[in-house]
């Protein structure tokens, strides 16, 4: 006969009577009974979901938060049951969530961060219905942390910061409770005494740790060098957009221009007089959109824009976000004379990239990656840094005009994201000063055009301005370099216009131009100034009058840099126009004659490595009195100058042959030795300060452990103090081991039993042993 019980034991199958005791019970013994820990973990997960909603502008919280609360209650209520039906339902739900993820992934493969976050949130909601074990709560903590990390990559505003701080404040007690649970501490009637004897778990310590962590985080964030990012070539891009089949790239869609009987925003903005067209209203600017983003603009318009954020830019370097340029001056504005001569560029089906041919220049360039996130609608003109070479845009094609402006098939809508890789040229003043003045025929044909009626008068004024520089140079500083190049002339005329003409105090004070008036002529001779864009128009025509090719370029200033998000916040009021000048073999370079603006807009020449630290210092300096700011600038400037000079001198030693290398190695060795000594003393001082803050019995116990560690008997983390005291008898003489054992027993009695011990007597015996040990060593 077969022995069924032996077979059951052999196969370890829960058959027969063995099934009865385990049925309906969880086979896992690690059940977490702590309600505070479960609640804190739930709050962490909810904060991660809310952070994702805020950063990604989603609405996951509407359904996930209630389900997470219900799931947390259910998992606690059923924590000791097997929950097999629920686990089957959870498995089915996970498969459905995975299928839904792949559906979203196929539809939006350019940027999968939100799709992955949504999958993680769905899995966490399902997981919350079956978390009876302690380690499962650890999984939930990690999921909350991952969601906060995803939200950090999506965040473009400071709205994410309060949630991050709240997450950190909740995470600290959660980790403490989780650690105590892993060590096996259970709530009991002696909980009050346990808290009393465990000073590490107190609200005062948690608050102090929170403040220290925030301070250290902000300090590290401020001094952390900002090296060029985007090492991976997977750039953020919106989901593909539907585009019209008849896209030619010839039309510009600017919602700020509205024609009578035509409300589709496709006006060309060619208002030539005071009231011949509408840009919002006859003769007035639209208060939301910049008038200059069109194929033809009328600078006789008046008005102001209401500030609003239009886009946020993440860029490796600060720069001018170029939109379009104009070549033909009309007397009261500008137009693109070759607006119909555009080239269509198509997206590669393999890489999703639109390649743009870069002109062949001899100057050095630097690759700069920019990601643009649209917050408000813009025309179908694509802002980029100068000389883009790769464009990752959510349309299958774009167009490029003769003035290097990029045009999309559709209007740029709110929420649109695209990425640009530009080869930005370095601005070398010495090289540009040697540039030839033999311009190609096509350059002279389009970028030296001036209305004949003002040409002579503008040329005379420009030559007078250049002559005044020569007179000042001879009379005041004879050694100053003369204006013998197109670059130096352009630079001086930019400064001349900026200093000799003024902006109106009231935006509406400047009178409208009559039908026969010319904008540049009125600016130079009648009004002695004008609106910001008038300065750029005047400079462009003045340069043309002396044979220097120039054009008007419109775009956005860099905007306000937010060091916490790493993005430039660009508003509609940051849009303006300035002058681009052509230099053979080197390309187009911008000059800004507008008062209050730098002569040369910021670009790759600006060092961005410690930009956050500079921004932080500028913010701090704004709160300090000017004398204190000046003193601190001098002190820190001297310190950093000496530091950099010392490093440069040390590195230069290795370029001076074998003697220099040997000298550098000797100096480096000596410096390392002194650094090691200072580091040792610093650690010793920190240890002394740490010991002073401990209770007397704790301090004596730690001193004993440190002394033994120096002798080679370190305490293993798995050893209890009593076990460690017993082991000491194997390494020391009975008199030393006895004192160590008594200290360990007194420590356990004080720490875990709450008893009062005579630590003074133990300390005296320990000090006596130390003296004997030192005498033996000497």
């Amino acid at each position: 006969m077969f022995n069924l019980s032996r077979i059951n034991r052999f196969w370890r199958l829960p058959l027969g009577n063995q099934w009865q005791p385990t049925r309906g019970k969880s086979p896992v013994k690690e059940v977490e009974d702590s309600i505070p820990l479960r609640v804190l973990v739930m709050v962490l997960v909810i904060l991660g979901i809310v952070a994702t909603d805020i950063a990604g502008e989603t609405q996951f919280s509407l359904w996930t938060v209630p389900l997470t609360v219900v799931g947390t209650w259910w998992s606690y209520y059923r924590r000791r049951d097997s929950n097999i039906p629920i686990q089957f339902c959870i498995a089915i739900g996970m498969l459905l969530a995975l299928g839904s993820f792949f559906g979203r992934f196929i539809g939006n493969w350019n940027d999968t961060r939100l799709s992955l976050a949504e999958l993680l949130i769905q899995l966490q909601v399902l997981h919350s219905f079956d978390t009876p074990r302690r380690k499962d709560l650890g999984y939930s903590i990690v999921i909350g942390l991952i969601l906060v990390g995803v939200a950090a990559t999506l965040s473009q505003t400071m709205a994410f910061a309060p949630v991050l701080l709240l997450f950190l404040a909740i995470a600290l007690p959660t980790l403490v409770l989780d650690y105590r649970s892993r060590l096996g501490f259970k709530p009991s009637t002696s909980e009050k005494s346990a808290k009393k004897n465990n000073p590490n778990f107190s609200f005062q310590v948690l608050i102090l740790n929170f403040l220290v962590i925030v301070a250290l985080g902000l300090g590290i964030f401020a001094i952390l060098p900002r090296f060029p990012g985007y090492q991976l070539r997977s750039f953020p891009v919106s989901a593909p957009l539907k585009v019209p089949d008849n896209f030619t790239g010839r039309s510009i869609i600017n919602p700020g221009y509205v024609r009578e009987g035509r409300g589709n925003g496709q006006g060309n903005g060619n208002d030539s007089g005071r009231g011949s067209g509408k840009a919002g209203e006859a003769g007035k600017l639209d208060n939301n959109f910049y008038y200059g983003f069109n194929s033809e603009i009328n600078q006789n318009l008046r008005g102001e824009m209401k500030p609003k954020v239009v886009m946020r830019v993440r860029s490796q370097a600060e720069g001018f976000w170029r939109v379009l340029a104009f070549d033909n001056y009309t007397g009261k504005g500008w137009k693109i004379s070759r607006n119909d001569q555009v080239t269509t560029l198509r997206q590669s089906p393999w890489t999703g990239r639109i390649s743009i041919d870069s002109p062949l220049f001899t100057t050095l360039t630097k690759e700069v990656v920019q990601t643009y996130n649209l917050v408000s609608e813009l025309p179908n003109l694509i802002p980029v840094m100068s000389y883009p070479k790769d464009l990752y845009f959510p349309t299958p094609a774009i167009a490029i005009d003769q003035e290097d402006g990029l045009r999309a098939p559709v209007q740029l809508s709110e929420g649109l994201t695209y990425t640009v890789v530009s080869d930005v040229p370095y601005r070398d003043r010495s090289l540009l000063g040697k540039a030839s003045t033999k311009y190609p025929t096509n350059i002279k044909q389009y970028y030296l055009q001036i209305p004949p009626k003002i040409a002579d008068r503008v040329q005379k004024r420009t030559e007078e301005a250049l002559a005044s520089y020569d007179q000042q140079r001879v009379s005041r500083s004879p050694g100053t370099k003369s204006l013998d190049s197109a670059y130096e002339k352009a630079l001086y005329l930019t400064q001349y216009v900026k200093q000799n003409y003024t902006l109106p105090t009231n935006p509406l004070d400047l009178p409208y131009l009559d039908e026969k008036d010319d904008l540049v002529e009125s600016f130079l001779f009648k009004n002695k100034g004008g609106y910001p864009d008038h300065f750029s128009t005047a400079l462009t025509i003045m340069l043309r009058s002396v044979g220097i090719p120039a054009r008007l370029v419109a775009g956005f200033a860099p905007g306000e840099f937010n060091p916490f998000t790493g993005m430039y916040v660009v508003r509609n009021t940051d849009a303006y126009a300035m002058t681009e000048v052509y230099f053979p073999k080197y390309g187009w370079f911008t000059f800004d004659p507008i008062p209050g603006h730098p002569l040369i807009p910021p670009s790759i020449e600006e060092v961005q490595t410690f930009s956050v630290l500079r921004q932080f210092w500028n913010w701090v300096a704004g709160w300090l009195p000017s004398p204190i700011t000046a003193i601190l600038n001098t002190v820190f400037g001297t310190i950093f100058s000496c530091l950099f000079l010392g490093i440069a001198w040390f590195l230069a030693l290795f370029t001076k042959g074998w003697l220099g290398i040997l000298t550098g190695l000797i100096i480096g060795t000596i410096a390392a030795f002194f650094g090691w000594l200072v580091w040792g003393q610093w650690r010793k001082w920190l240890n002394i300060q740490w010991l002073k803050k401990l209770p007397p019995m704790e301090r004596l116990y730690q001193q004993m452990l440190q002394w033994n560690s120096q002798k080679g008997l370190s305490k293993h983390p798995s050893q209890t103090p009593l076990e460690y005291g017993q082991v000491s008898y194997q390494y020391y003489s009975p008199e030393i081991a006895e004192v160590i054992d008594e200290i360990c027993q007194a420590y356990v009695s004080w720490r875990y039993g709450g008893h009062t011990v005579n630590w003074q007597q133990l300390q005296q015996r320990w000090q006596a042993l130390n003296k004997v040990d030192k005498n033996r060593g000497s």
Side-chain angles (χ1 to χ4, degrees):
M1 295 178 63
F2 293 100
N3 192 328
L4 184 60
S5 61
R6 290 183 180 179
I7 295 177
N8 290 341
R9 285 196 298 272
F10 178 77
W11 290 104
R12 306 291 184 182
L13 295 176
L15 300 178
N17 296 332
Q18 296 183 12
W19 168 256
Q20 296 298 329
T22 60
R23 184 174 58 187
K25 296 182 180 180
S26 175
V28 182
K29 296 181 179 180
E30 288 186 28
V31 175
E32 182 56 64
D33 293 319
S34 174
I35 296 178
L37 177 58
R38 287 178 174 269
V39 172
L40 287 175
V41 171
M42 178 190 69
V43 174
L44 277 184
V45 173
I46 291 175
L47 285 176
I49 298 172
V50 172
T52 306
D53 277 353
I54 293 175
E57 298 181 356
T58 54
Q59 297 181 345
F60 298 141
S61 303
L62 296 180
W63 63 274
T64 56
V65 172
L67 287 178
T68 301
V69 175
V70 173
T72 302
W73 171 83
W74 171 264
S75 64
Y76 178 77
Y77 179 72
R78 302 277 298 182
R79 66 189 183 279
R80 300 190 183 278
D81 298 325
S82 59
N83 300 322
I84 293 178
I86 294 296
Q87 291 178 3
F88 271 108
C89 294
I90 291 174
I92 296 172
M94 288 183 174
L95 292 175
L96 293 176
L98 186 62
S100 176
F101 164 73
F102 281 116
R104 294 190 303 271
F105 178 79
I106 296 173
N108 187 16
W109 55 270
N110 294 298
D111 190 357
T112 60
R113 290 174 296 176
L114 270 179
S115 299
L116 288 170
E118 185 173 357
L119 173 63
L120 196 61
I121 291 172
Q122 292 170 349
L123 295 180
Q124 170 55 33
V125 171
L126 294 171
H127 177 67
S128 65
F129 279 86
D130 186 38
T131 56
R133 295 180 293 172
R134 185 189 310 123
K135 68 178 183 179
D136 291 334
L137 294 176
Y139 296 155
S140 297
I141 294 174
V142 174
I143 288 176
L145 181 61
I146 294 175
L147 290 176
V148 170
V150 172
T153 65
L154 294 170
S155 176
Q156 300 178 17
T157 66
M158 289 295 294
F160 171 72
V163 180
L164 179 61
L165 293 176
L166 186 58
F167 182 90
L168 176 60
I170 300 298
L172 290 176
T174 304
L175 293 176
V176 171
L177 289 176
D178 182 66
Y179 181 67
R180 288 169 59 85
S181 176
R182 292 176 186 274
L183 292 179
F185 292 163
K186 300 293 183 181
S188 62
T189 56
S190 60
E191 184 69 25
K192 293 184 179 180
S193 63
K195 290 184 178 180
K196 180 179 178 180
N197 296 325
N198 186 10
N200 292 325
F201 185 66
S202 64
F203 287 106
Q204 292 83 355
V205 174
L206 291 176
I207 293 173
L208 180 61
N209 286 338
F210 174 78
L211 296 177
V212 170
I213 292 172
V214 172
L216 286 176
L218 291 176
I220 295 173
F221 181 81
I223 65 176
L224 194 67
R226 259 53 180 183
F227 296 107
Y230 288 107
Q231 303 303 320
L232 299 177
R233 292 290 171 174
S234 179
F235 298 127
V237 184
S238 295
L241 302 175
K242 294 182 179 180
V243 300
D245 297 332
N246 58 346
F247 171 62
T248 62
R250 298 175 182 175
S251 62
I252 295 177
I253 308 171
N254 190 333
Y257 283 94
V258 180
R259 294 310 210 180
E260 291 187 17
R262 195 166 144 200
N264 57 5
Q266 295 189 11
N268 60 9
N270 60 353
D271 307 337
S272 58
R274 176 175 176 177
S276 60
K278 287 190 177 184
E281 291 182 17
K284 291 186 179 181
L285 295 175
D286 186 276
N287 60 4
N288 289 313
F289 297 91
Y290 178 61
Y291 79 105
F293 297 152
N294 226 302
S295 59
E296 185 173 353
I297 60 173
N298 175 18
Q299 293 185 307
N300 196 26
L301 302 175
R302 302 291 183 268
E304 283 187 299
M305 287 186 291
K306 294 180 180 178
K308 69 173 182 178
V309 176
V310 294
M311 62 182 181
R312 299 186 183 96
V313 183
R314 188 185 304 278
S315 175
Q316 291 176 298
E318 187 178 9
F320 179 74
W321 319 124
R322 189 183 189 276
V323 176
L324 81 170
F326 303 90
D327 64 327
N328 188 267
Y329 174 63
T330 62
K332 292 183 176 61
W334 292 85
K335 70 177 181 179
I336 302 175
S337 64
R338 296 170 288 175
N339 187 58
D340 293 339
Q341 300 179 27
V342 298
T343 303
T344 302
L345 304 176
R346 299 203 171 273
Q347 187 183 74
S348 169
W350 303 104
T351 63
R353 176 182 63 198
I354 300 175
S355 298
I356 304 169
D357 293 333
S358 301
L360 297 176
F361 294 137
T362 58
T363 184
L364 293 176
T365 61
K366 180 179 180 180
E367 183 180 273
V368 179
V369 181
Q370 321 114 60
T371 296
Y372 298 81
N373 301 274
L374 277 295
V375 180
S376 177
E377 61 179 354
L378 287 176
N380 64 321
L381 302 169
I382 305 174
V384 296
M385 282 189 77
S386 58
Y387 299 110
K389 64 174 182 178
D390 295 323
L391 175 65
Y392 298 83
F393 200 78
T395 59
I398 64 162
I400 182 170
D401 60 27
Q402 296 295 319
E403 310 304 329
D404 303 320
L406 303 183
R407 306 180 182 185
V410 293
Q411 180 182 334
L412 305 189
S413 58
E414 179 182 352
L416 179 70
T417 299
Y418 65 93
T419 300
V420 184
V421 182
S422 300
D423 270 338
V424 183
Y426 282 93
R427 192 178 191 123
D428 191 322
R429 184 171 180 175
S430 61
L431 289 178
L432 294 176
K434 299 175 183 177
S436 171
T437 55
K438 295 180 180 180
Y439 303 106
T441 303
N442 64 322
I443 295 294
K444 293 191 291 185
Q445 178 181 358
Y446 293 102
Y447 305 110
L448 293 177
Q449 170 266 337
I450 304 177
K453 68 175 183 178
I454 67 168
D456 293 339
R457 197 175 182 191
V458 173
Q459 181 182 4
K460 183 178 179 181
R461 172 53 60 90
T462 306
E463 291 175 346
E464 288 176 355
L466 296 174
S468 66
Y469 173 82
D470 289 332
Q471 293 174 1
Q472 295 174 5
R473 181 179 63 87
V474 173
S475 60
R476 297 182 181 179
S477 48
T480 306
K481 187 178 180 181
S482 60
L483 300 177
D484 55 356
S485 67
Y487 185 84
E488 296 300 330
K489 290 179 181 179
L491 201 61
Y492 174 72
L493 287 175
T494 304
Q495 184 69 40
Y496 176 85
V497 173
K498 185 189 297 284
Q499 293 179 345
N500 290 275
Y501 297 91
T502 59
L503 292 165
T505 54
N506 190 328
L508 298 178
D509 282 349
L510 201 66
Y512 285 96
L513 300 177
D514 292 332
E515 198 68 33
K516 297 181 179 180
D517 290 338
D518 183 273
L519 175 66
V520 174
E521 192 174 36
S522 299
F523 179 93
L524 294 176
F525 306 104
K526 181 180 178 182
N527 298 325
K528 299 294 182 179
Y531 295 121
D533 287 358
H534 296 176
F535 284 76
S536 303
T537 295
L539 174 63
T540 305
I541 300 303
M542 290 176 73
L543 289 169
R544 289 184 175 187
S545 69
V546 292
I548 300 176
R551 64 186 178 187
L552 192 79
V553 60
F556 292 97
E560 182 182 358
F561 181 72
N562 187 332
F564 295 99
T565 62
M567 306 185 97
Y568 295 92
V569 181
V570 184
R571 294 173 172 80
N572 56 348
T573 51
D574 291 322
Y576 71 102
M578 56 182 174
T579 301
E580 273 188 344
V581 181
Y582 180 78
F583 299 95
K585 296 184 180 180
Y586 301 110
W588 296 90
F589 288 86
T590 52
F591 296 82
D592 193 342
I594 300 174
H597 290 198
L599 284 175
I600 299 169
S603 187
I604 55 175
E605 290 79 15
E606 295 288 335
V607 178
Q608 302 291 325
T609 305
F610 294 98
S611 58
V612 173
L613 182 59
R614 186 177 65 251
Q615 294 274 346
F616 181 75
W617 167 245
N618 292 336
W619 178 77
V620 173
W623 293 88
L624 298 176
S626 299
I628 296 178
T629 303
I631 294 173
L632 292 177
N633 279 329
T634 304
V635 171
F636 287 121
T638 304
I639 293 174
F640 282 110
S641 297
C642 294
L643 181 62
F644 289 139
L645 288 175
I647 294 175
W649 174 80
F650 176 73
L651 295 177
L653 289 175
F654 293 89
T655 63
K656 296 181 179 180
W658 289 107
L659 182 60
I661 295 175
L662 182 60
T663 305
L665 291 176
I666 294 173
I667 294 175
T669 303
I670 295 173
F673 174 70
F674 280 105
W676 175 77
L677 290 178
V678 172
W679 173 249
Q681 294 300 318
W682 170 253
R683 291 184 60 186
K684 187 179 295 184
W685 181 84
L686 288 178
N687 184 60
I688 293 173
Q689 299 302 315
W690 174 67
L691 290 173
K692 288 181 178 179
K693 298 178 181 179
L694 298 177
M697 188 63 239
E698 175 81 16
R699 180 166 61 246
L700 178 60
Y701 176 71
Q702 294 296 336
Q703 288 174 336
M704 180 269 295
L705 291 180
Q706 292 177 6
W707 183 84
N708 285 340
S709 179
Q710 293 174 359
K711 299 293 183 181
L713 182 61
S714 300
K715 178 182 177 296
H716 194 275
S718 63
Q719 282 182 313
T720 65
L722 297 180
E723 292 173 344
Y724 183 72
Q726 292 299 319
V727 171
S728 65
Y729 285 97
Q730 303 176 14
Y731 291 88
Y732 298 111
S733 62
E735 57 179 359
I736 297 178
E738 184 179 352
V739 176
I740 294 174
D741 190 21
E742 288 183 7
I743 292 176
C744 291
Q745 292 183 15
Y747 174 75
V748 171
S749 178
W750 166 80
R751 182 65 182 269
Y752 301 104
H755 300 141
T756 303
V757 295
N758 190 357
W759 61 269
Q760 294 91 342
Q761 182 180 359
L762 290 173
Q763 187 174 24
Q764 291 175 0
R765 294 185 62 187
W766 179 250
Q767 291 173 352
L769 282 177
N770 281 335
K771 290 181 181 180
V772 172
D773 183 68
K774 290 180 180 178
N775 292 332
R776 290 176 180 176
S778 61

